[in-house]
Amino acid sequence: MKPADMISELHSQGVVTDLDKHFTGFMMLTAPNPNPELELASVLVSTRMREGHICLDLNLLAGQKWPDTASSPAIQCYQTGAWCEALFKTGMVGNPGDKKPLVLDQSNARLYLYRYWRYQQELADSIRQRAEMQHDLSEHIFLPQRMNQLFMKTDDEINWQKTAAFAALFKNFCVITGGPGTGKTFTVANILALLIEIHLPQTLRIALAAPTGKAAARLKEAVRQAKLESKAPESVKDAMPDDASTIHRLLGTIPDSPYFRHNADHPLSIDVLAVDEASMVDLPLMAKLISALPPNARLLLLGDKDQLASVEPGAVLGDICGVHQNAADAFSDVFSKNCCAATGHQPEAAKYASNLDDCIVELKKGYRFKGDSGIKMLSRATNKIESPGGEQALQRVIHRVRQGRYPDVKQFPAASVYDSRGLHDDFKRTVKTGLTPYLEAMAENLSPDVIFQAFSRFRILCALRKGPFGVEQINLLTERLLQRNGFIKAGLNEYKGRPVMITRNDYNLKLFNGDIGLTWPASDTGELRVYFPDEDGRMRPINPRRLPEHETVYAMTVHKSQGSEFENLLLLLPDSQSPVLTRELIYTGLTRAKKKVTLFADQKILIDAARHPILRSSGLRELL
């Protein structure tokens, strides 16, 4: 069967989407010399983009069958050399730098859409340029004393928060990564205080940003709290920023356009930009953000490199931090000596450390979870499964969880989700207990902001969208459970107390995919409105009829939970294996909880997911 016929068959089965098929058809119609190799490459590029890859790695598929599922017909892929040669003959594929619809980097056999190749190249160039810039801090003789005032003493050989602070002062580009509770926002708040003091009496223009509204609100609150606790001079604290915004708002969205008001030709008027939850920022957005920065502005990226990558193509933070893994916490000799003079701690130096190695610091000491925390032990064991004895260590932790040895993690098998009557009592009890603060706040007829805060304390997180263990079914059954118990009066599209999540951006209403609101009567008219928290913490009412696409959100996917924290959560995994179940998904789901996780999952499924990290095709790490 020809590739065109196979693609049509895969389209009828849902493996190939309408977009994939239309893109492939467009490429074949416009190619001066179309051939089957281009047809197959086009559909694969499109499907890979949907899966989060930046490019199509021809080496990974050469000679293989695609897709590799037994339930679908398969296309035999070509060998790399012949495939590349055939692609160049079509007139639609060029070398890096050529303005062709597709760009083929022959050295790595990676095929890109032109604009994604350009995004990657521009981002890599900008990061390298900023990483080369460094500042002489020797004249600031107050630094060692101020470092000691701002950062708590530790028993560790290296104080990584101080090291991160020095890196941010020494370089114009700095990445601070670390797990939950390692003090990333505390560290960046003190970095801003140090930068302000270093530049006095000059006023430093500082911006704080995050990829989502909820992440921006959390960043704002965390920096505000850090300012209150900081031992910096009052004049310095007064100069620290009080606001944080989404990246889209910072750059200035243009309705119905992928472009922003701020770009390389119209840069932002700032000297320092700190971006939290950087793991959620995809390649196109990161490229547009960094191009809108003035050449000498400092960029600080904060995030957890072990979290799920962005939903859109790219794993920018992971690619950047992957460069540093080669040096294993080692820095250049110049960085090491200067860091020791400023902090009193001398990190390891290595001859092979690069400029970029000096820009990346991982915070290792956690302050959120106690020593006996099951959340900490289970998430750490999940991440370290590939280390010697890692799988056995994860099995031991899961065994202790099942024995009830950890107060903050409880596990039920997947069979405890359903019984012959519907939802199992174990599942229903967990949901009702978690939602109790929200239900009580509604019963007392409290204000929308108080009810919203109560609702935000608990969430059901699912790995899947569809099926008996997916978000759609769990939301429906949770709604019915609350209705049967008299907590809500559902049945209509909108009802008092309904929590909703936006699923499509609306730039005019300033509502974005993942924003969550609460339906509640307006105090003046009694008409139902959906209240969304603004970045300043106030609740903004919107008529339900004006909302873009949205859905009920007692449960949400782990992907959608990124940038959020909940006191208590229920993490639900399916009872069979799925490509969606990965190490990053388990880790991200577990670490959204601050106090307690109730896990509905089988041990085999957990361990199998931990064995499978997300691998996204990209050339960014090699470029850096």
Side-chain angles (χ1 to χ4, degrees):
M1 191 181 291
K2 295 179 180 179
D5 298 328
M6 295 291 284
I7 290 169
S8 295
E9 178 65 22
L10 290 169
H11 177 255
S12 68
Q13 295 187 11
V15 177
V16 171
T17 66
D18 290 343
L19 179 61
D20 301 333
K21 191 173 182 184
H22 288 316
F23 173 73
T24 305
F26 169 78
M27 294 293 289
M28 294 297 286
L29 281 172
T30 54
N33 302 299
N35 57 31
E37 289 86 351
L38 177 64
E39 190 164 26
L40 178 56
S42 298
V43 75
L44 284 169
V45 164
S46 185
T47 57
R48 286 297 190 261
M49 296 287 292
R50 286 193 291 104
E51 294 167 356
H53 300 277
I54 295 302
C55 57
L56 168 63
D57 190 330
L58 299 179
N59 282 328
L60 291 179
L61 286 170
Q64 305 295 315
K65 289 186 176 181
W66 176 84
D68 59 357
T69 58
S71 59
S72 302
I75 303 175
Q76 184 76 34
C77 295
Y78 306 98
Q79 294 297 333
T80 303
W83 204 351
C84 291
E85 185 178 347
L87 288 174
F88 279 123
K89 291 178 179 178
T90 65
M92 300 296 280
V93 179
N95 289 300
D98 295 340
K99 287 193 175 182
K100 296 283 188 178
L102 295 173
V103 172
L104 179 57
D105 182 351
Q106 282 187 281
S107 61
N108 296 298
R110 293 191 179 114
L111 186 66
Y112 299 82
L113 286 176
Y114 172 79
R115 63 191 176 102
Y116 278 84
W117 173 83
R118 184 167 54 83
Y119 286 145
Q120 180 179 272
Q121 192 68 44
E122 291 176 353
L123 178 60
D125 290 344
S126 182
I127 288 175
R128 283 198 304 265
Q129 290 166 9
R130 291 173 192 277
E132 290 171 0
M133 300 179 191
Q134 58 190 43
H135 301 269
D136 182 4
L137 303 175
S138 59
E139 64 183 84
H140 305 295
I141 57 175
F142 68 88
L143 264 182
Q145 180 183 358
R146 189 69 77 223
M147 284 271 197
N148 288 333
Q149 289 176 336
L150 295 178
F151 296 98
M152 62 187 76
K153 294 181 180 179
T154 68
D155 297 328
D156 301 327
E157 183 180 352
I158 300 295
N159 186 318
W160 291 106
Q161 290 187 348
K162 278 188 179 181
T163 305
F166 173 77
L169 302 182
F170 188 58
K171 291 285 190 175
N172 267 21
F173 177 72
C174 180
V175 175
I176 303 174
T177 184
T182 50
K184 295 186 291 293
T185 49
F186 168 83
T187 301
V188 82
N190 284 320
I191 288 171
L192 298 180
L194 289 167
L195 285 171
I196 289 168
E197 191 165 6
I198 283 174
H199 285 81
L200 285 175
Q202 178 186 348
T203 300
L204 210 57
R205 300 167 299 176
I206 301 173
L208 304 176
T212 66
K214 57 191 172 188
R218 275 186 51 219
L219 174 62
K220 176 183 176 181
E221 177 58 26
V223 171
R224 187 192 68 81
Q225 188 62 34
K227 281 174 61 175
L228 293 175
E229 299 170 358
S230 176
K231 296 178 181 178
E234 289 300 319
S235 59
V236 170
K237 289 200 282 187
D238 289 342
M240 290 175 67
D242 292 312
D243 194 17
S245 74
T246 62
I247 296 173
H248 288 79
R249 177 181 154 197
L250 177 72
L251 293 177
T253 56
I254 300 173
D256 304 316
S257 169
Y259 302 106
F260 296 98
R261 292 188 174 88
H262 289 287
N263 50 41
D265 297 324
H266 182 212
L268 294 159
S269 298
I270 57 176
D271 303 304
V272 181
L273 172 62
V275 180
D276 197 13
E277 297 291 351
S279 64
M280 297 171 62
V281 185
D282 57 71
L283 174 69
L285 184 57
M286 187 69 82
K288 292 170 186 176
L289 176 65
I290 205 167
S291 72
L293 286 179
N296 293 322
R298 296 175 188 259
L299 176 61
L300 312 178
L301 300 181
L302 317 177
D304 187 342
K305 64 180 176 58
D306 296 318
Q307 264 189 215
L308 282 165
S310 60
V311 176
E312 299 299 322
V316 175
L317 186 69
D319 282 340
I320 295 171
C321 292
V323 175
H324 193 55
Q325 287 173 358
N326 298 326
D329 295 329
F331 300 85
S332 71
D333 188 60
V334 171
F335 180 98
S336 181
K337 290 177 180 177
N338 281 275
C339 181
C340 183
T343 68
H345 299 271
Q346 186 162 5
E348 180 184 350
K351 292 181 180 179
Y352 50 79
S354 66
N355 282 320
L356 191 57
D357 284 314
D358 289 346
C359 301
I360 304 167
V361 180
E362 181 178 359
L363 305 184
K364 305 180 189 300
K365 185 176 180 62
Y367 299 92
R368 175 183 299 173
F369 302 120
K370 297 179 181 178
D372 62 346
S373 165
I375 298 174
K376 179 178 77 173
M377 298 302 293
L378 188 54
S379 59
R380 179 182 294 175
T382 298
N383 264 348
K384 295 185 177 296
I385 192 172
E386 290 183 347
S387 61
E391 187 163 323
Q392 292 76 16
L394 177 56
Q395 289 173 344
R396 287 194 296 271
V397 173
I398 295 173
H399 181 66
R400 293 188 188 113
V401 168
R402 294 172 66 181
Q403 289 181 319
R405 300 268 293 275
Y406 299 115
D408 57 341
V409 179
K410 192 171 184 177
Q411 184 195 9
F412 294 95
S416 292
V417 178
Y418 292 101
D419 59 24
S420 58
R421 298 168 297 171
L423 287 176
H424 194 285
D425 286 343
D426 290 333
F427 190 85
K428 290 191 288 188
R429 184 165 48 250
T430 304
V431 171
K432 285 193 284 188
T433 300
L435 290 174
T436 292
Y438 152 72
L439 299 173
E440 290 178 345
M442 283 203 300
E444 295 176 24
N445 209 35
L446 299 178
S447 61
D449 61 323
V450 175
I451 300 172
F452 184 84
Q453 289 171 14
F455 174 73
S456 300
R457 290 167 62 181
F458 170 77
R459 198 61 42 86
I460 304 169
L461 301 185
C462 302
L464 307 176
R465 279 202 57 81
K466 298 186 180 296
F469 296 89
V471 163
E472 294 176 1
Q473 179 74 353
I474 295 300
N475 269 321
L476 179 63
L477 294 177
T478 301
E479 204 168 50
R480 288 177 181 173
L481 172 66
L482 298 180
Q483 187 178 15
R484 282 197 300 269
N485 286 270
F487 295 120
I488 62 173
K489 294 181 179 180
L492 301 173
N493 288 336
E494 303 297 337
Y495 57 85
K496 183 178 177 181
R498 182 194 181 202
V500 302
M501 180 169 64
I502 300 301
T503 59
R504 181 178 59 80
N505 293 341
D506 187 319
Y507 293 101
N508 295 319
L509 287 176
K510 296 182 180 178
L511 291 175
F512 302 99
N513 192 348
D515 286 352
I516 293 176
L518 179 80
T519 309
W520 200 249
S523 58
D524 52 351
T525 65
E527 294 181 356
L528 287 180
R529 295 290 181 264
V530 184
Y531 289 83
F532 291 88
D534 266 343
E535 289 160 4
D536 59 6
R538 293 178 297 185
M539 301 300 287
R540 180 166 60 105
I542 295 179
N543 190 314
R545 291 186 292 274
R546 296 187 63 202
L547 293 182
E549 294 172 16
H550 59 281
E551 61 189 21
T552 304
V553 68
Y554 297 105
M556 63 197 301
T557 62
V558 175
H559 280 84
K560 291 285 189 181
S561 74
Q562 291 183 91
S564 299
E565 289 180 347
F566 311 101
E567 287 185 12
N568 176 12
L569 65 82
L570 186 161
L571 179 57
L572 175 60
L573 304 184
D575 61 353
S576 59
Q577 296 175 358
S578 166
V580 172
L581 295 176
T582 63
R583 183 184 306 162
E584 292 83 358
L585 183 135
I586 303 299
Y587 174 82
T588 302
L590 290 170
T591 55
R592 296 312 87 206
K594 293 192 287 186
K595 294 184 178 180
K596 185 178 180 182
V597 171
T598 304
L599 182 61
F600 283 80
D602 297 328
Q603 177 174 326
K604 184 178 184 301
I605 297 297
L606 262 175
I607 293 175
D608 187 69
R611 291 193 191 110
H612 293 89
I614 294 174
L615 300 174
R616 288 191 168 181
S617 297
S618 162
L620 182 59
R621 187 178 303 190
E622 285 82 357
L623 284 173
L624 293 174

